[in-house]
Amino acid sequence: MINLSIGEAAKKLNTTTHTLRYYDNEGLLPIERDVNGRRIFSTKNFIMLNTIECLKATGMSLKDIKLYIDWCEEGFASVQRRHALFLKRKATVESQIVALQKTLKTINYKIDLYENALNTGVLNMCDADREELVNKILNDKL
């Protein structure tokens, strides 16, 4: 079992103490306090913080994350809803990955174009190269 200070938890999760205090104040994460009133992050808190950061990274709003946390407090009765939520988030992330892969292809194409220009001293695309590029874009090959 772990007991982390707010600073330790923020560092391990690569976030800020301000963010963790905000989560606590908004009821996203019930945090216990020590005898001096300082927040103590338990194993359960740390796991939930990781889940919150994961859901945020998928673009989920804090309002919807709060709903998820409320469902967790319900116990087994909400397992089906939580499962459906993660299936939906998975589909969202998979769509983001596809979009990012397409973006990466364009970036790599441009890197190759400019590296070739730097190596040859020429930055000039002929009409045939442009047509090929347009076809790749239209056919999702780039």
Side-chain angles (χ1 to χ4, degrees), residues 10-38:
K11 187 174 184 177
K12 292 204 180 285
L13 289 167
N14 197 29
T15 191
T16 66
T17 57
H18 173 77
T19 297
L20 298 181
R21 284 185 192 97
Y22 178 78
Y23 291 167
D24 185 20
N25 294 336
E26 293 298 310
L28 286 168
L29 194 62
I31 304 294
E32 291 188 29
R33 295 178 184 261
D34 67 12
V35 293
N36 296 318
R38 291 183 297 236

Side-chain angles (χ1 to χ4, degrees), residues 17-70:
T17 57
H18 173 77
T19 297
L20 298 181
R21 284 185 192 97
Y22 178 78
Y23 291 167
D24 185 20
N25 294 336
E26 293 298 310
L28 286 168
L29 194 62
I31 304 294
E32 291 188 29
R33 295 178 184 261
D34 67 12
V35 293
N36 296 318
R38 291 183 297 236
R39 292 170 177 89
I40 299 294
F41 292 82
S42 67
T43 302
K44 182 180 175 183
N45 296 139
F46 192 75
I47 292 168
M48 186 57 78
L49 281 167
N50 183 67
T51 302
I52 290 168
E53 292 300 313
C54 169
L55 293 172
K56 271 181 43 183
T58 71
M60 191 171 190
S61 71
L62 289 179
K63 177 183 173 186
D64 288 339
I65 292 171
K66 173 70 169 106
L67 181 60
Y68 165 76
I69 291 166
D70 292 344

Side-chain angles (χ1 to χ4, degrees), residues 87-100:
L87 287 174
K88 185 177 178 182
R89 298 323 303 169
K90 179 183 178 195
T92 299
V93 169
E94 288 171 342
S95 294
Q96 291 170 335
I97 289 170
V98 168
L100 285 171

